[in-house]
Amino acid sequence: MSVQSRRRQIAAAVATRLADPTRRSSTTVPTASFQDHDRGHGCRQRIRKMIDIDVLGMVGSHPASKDGVESLKTLLALARGILDNPHDATKRRIRLNNNAVKKRILQPKGVLQLAIEMGFCRETVEEMQAIRVFEASNLAHLETCAHLINEAIIREQLRPDEHLVLKGKLEEQQDIRRQTMQRVMDDRKSVQARFGSRQRSIYVPTSTRTSQVSASSVRS
């Protein structure tokens, strides 16, 4: 068999192999998980922006709002209630006339918008009361929101501890600086005291020297 015939045979075999999906190599790396992650990246970034900027007010170096953290805790409790009891219709409702709901969700900036993003999209009236209803089809999205909200709450709870650590380090550095300065001052005082004592030991007053000279003249 000639070289060209051999090459044509190999090319035909490769084409046949590629055309048949059942004969493809088992070493092919699946990419579905990476595609799913990339597909949800924009959504997660949008939710993080709503949490950090709209609810917590973290713009530039501005610290997170404590009221915003409390609002996030309320939303997280609602999300967990639904996720733990997906078939309980009472867990999927927010009564808008509730005082806690007004304080934690309706009044603070950006919180109601985040609740709508979580899935409380539909507003209706039941028994003469305005309510927000969670759409049951959004459970997967709700789980993502709950994870990001919990992540933000934990992060903000850790910040005071970090502040105390930094404050402790600063106070420790200041104590070391004060102790160093005190040692320097003590050394200076000790040197001055030794120098003064030496000066006094070698100093002879003029009147004493004059009397000593007179006495020596008399004896001579």
Side-chain angles (χ1 to χ4, degrees):
M1 181 183 295
S2 65
V3 175
Q4 292 182 349
S5 299
R6 180 59 178 168
R7 288 178 178 175
R8 283 195 295 268
Q9 186 178 6
I10 294 173
V14 171
T16 302
R17 188 183 187 91
L18 292 176
D20 185 0
T22 62
R23 299 184 62 185
R24 291 182 183 176
S25 173
S26 60
T27 60
T28 303
V29 179
T31 58
S33 60
F34 295 101
Q35 292 175 353
D36 292 342
H37 177 80
D38 294 339
R39 188 180 301 116
H41 177 72
C43 177
R44 292 192 299 274
Q45 289 298 96
R46 184 181 72 253
I47 297 170
R48 285 193 178 99
K49 181 179 179 182
M50 295 179 72
I51 293 171
D52 292 342
I53 297 178
D54 298 343
V55 176
L56 296 178
M58 297 174 62
V59 180
S61 60
H62 195 279
S65 164
K66 293 182 179 179
D67 292 335
V69 174
E70 294 302 318
S71 295
L72 290 181
K73 291 180 180 179
T74 300
L75 293 181
L76 182 61
L78 291 171
R80 285 176 171 170
I82 296 172
L83 294 171
D84 293 342
N85 306 276
H87 303 296
D88 188 347
T90 61
K91 301 294 185 181
R92 290 190 241 117
R93 284 165 167 73
I94 301 177
R95 298 190 178 277
L96 302 182
N97 65 336
N98 182 280
N99 290 332
V101 171
K102 290 179 181 178
K103 181 179 180 180
R104 299 300 184 195
I105 297 178
L106 300 184
Q107 295 175 359
K109 178 183 176 182
V111 182
L112 179 59
Q113 288 73 18
L114 181 56
I116 295 173
E117 173 68 30
M118 291 167 58
F120 292 94
C121 309
R122 184 163 60 90
E123 184 171 351
T124 184
V125 177
E126 290 184 0
E127 300 177 355
M128 304 297 293
Q129 294 184 1
I131 63 171
R132 279 271 173 184
V133 182
F134 175 80
E135 298 295 337
S137 60
N138 291 342
L139 281 176
H141 183 67
L142 177 65
E143 189 170 0
T144 298
C145 292
H147 173 75
L148 296 176
I149 290 172
N150 186 54
E151 185 181 78
I153 292 172
I154 293 175
R155 180 194 66 205
E156 295 309 317
Q157 287 175 337
L158 291 175
R159 287 188 188 277
D161 295 337
E162 293 176 358
H163 174 70
L164 291 176
V165 170
L166 294 175
K167 183 179 179 181
K169 289 183 178 179
L170 179 61
E171 291 177 349
E172 182 179 355
Q173 291 175 354
Q174 291 176 344
D175 288 339
I176 293 174
R177 189 178 297 110
R178 282 194 295 267
Q179 293 173 7
T180 302
M181 292 300 297
Q182 185 63 44
R183 285 196 295 269
V184 171
M185 294 300 296
D186 291 343
D187 290 342
R188 288 180 177 177
K189 290 179 180 179
S190 177
V191 170
Q192 290 175 352
R194 290 197 301 270
F195 181 77
S197 176
R198 181 181 178 186
Q199 288 292 97
R200 285 193 298 271
S201 65
I202 63 176
Y203 173 71
V204 179
T206 304
S207 58
T208 303
R209 291 200 300 269
T210 304
S211 60
Q212 291 175 349
V213 172
S214 300
S216 175
S217 301
V218 170
R219 286 196 298 271
S220 63

